[in-house]
Amino acid sequence: MLIKLDVNLNIQEQFARAFQQEIHGNEVKLDSAFGKGRIQLHPFPASLELYHFQFQLAQSLSISSKNPEYSDWLLLNINLSKAALENTVYKQEIAFQRYLPSGMLFYTPGTEVFSRSPIRIPFEIALIRFPKSFLATYYKEEFKALST
């Protein structure tokens, strides 16, 4: 299965549509045909969203995503798994590993990522999605320095 994610839209809703599952409260659970797993969404003020993925898939799942050049959104993807996850970022293979700098991936506008999820291996990811305005609101001085 291939899921094409639009970084500008709610991530949980896109997975729910792809897996043909309903969102209950803050959670989407996988159908057992796909394996075990769930995606939880925890919204915070200023449009900050924390997505918590916990999966043990029975079949292959590939995810293609691009944060468009014009995007107002930023993402921080953090591998919480014991196993490394393989990603292709800007056509370069990266082993996305826990407890190492390569265990976090920051999606700025223009970032393209392709990943293939492991089969029958538990894995866990935290994804933080927030608009650029979040930085401007909470880190005014720092954001000014980044914008110049």
Side-chain angles (χ1 to χ4, degrees):
M1 169 184 266
L2 172 64
I3 297 176
K4 291 188 176 189
L5 288 179
D6 183 340
V7 170
N8 294 298
L9 302 173
N10 180 295
I11 304 295
Q12 185 185 53
E13 290 174 1
Q14 293 177 75
F15 272 93
R17 273 193 306 276
F19 288 124
Q20 299 177 355
Q21 296 295 309
E22 291 188 24
I23 299 171
H24 296 283
N26 73 332
E27 185 173 83
V28 170
K29 289 188 179 181
L30 293 185
D31 183 281
S32 59
F34 292 108
K36 299 175 187 174
R38 66 183 184 177
I39 303 166
Q40 294 178 312
L41 168 59
H42 304 280
F44 291 90
S47 298
L48 185 136
E49 301 167 341
L50 170 63
Y51 297 90
H52 184 214
F53 296 80
Q54 292 177 300
F55 287 143
Q56 185 170 348
L57 300 174
Q59 55 184 280
S60 180
L61 173 64
S62 297
I63 301 168
S64 174
S65 62
K66 180 176 181 180
N67 194 0
E69 292 289 335
Y70 62 86
S71 178
D72 288 326
W73 290 92
L74 302 169
L75 284 89
L76 182 60
N77 192 330
I78 305 166
N79 181 7
L80 302 174
S81 309
K82 292 180 181 174
L85 302 175
E86 300 295 323
N87 289 296
T88 304
V89 182
Y90 296 116
K91 299 179 183 171
Q92 181 180 354
E93 293 291 323
I94 295 175
F96 191 45
Q97 300 178 43
R98 184 179 183 182
Y99 303 127
L100 295 176
S102 64
M104 293 193 301
L105 177 59
F106 189 47
Y107 284 61
T108 56
T111 303
E112 289 183 59
V113 178
F114 178 81
S115 61
R116 182 165 290 124
S117 300
I119 301 172
R120 294 180 289 282
I121 295 173
F123 67 97
E124 185 175 3
I125 293 172
L127 177 66
I128 302 167
R129 185 175 90 117
F130 56 96
K132 289 179 189 175
S133 62
F134 175 86
L135 296 176
T137 300
Y138 290 97
Y139 300 99
K140 289 179 181 147
E141 294 305 313
E142 294 87 343
F143 192 70
K144 283 181 196 173
L146 291 172
S147 299
T148 57

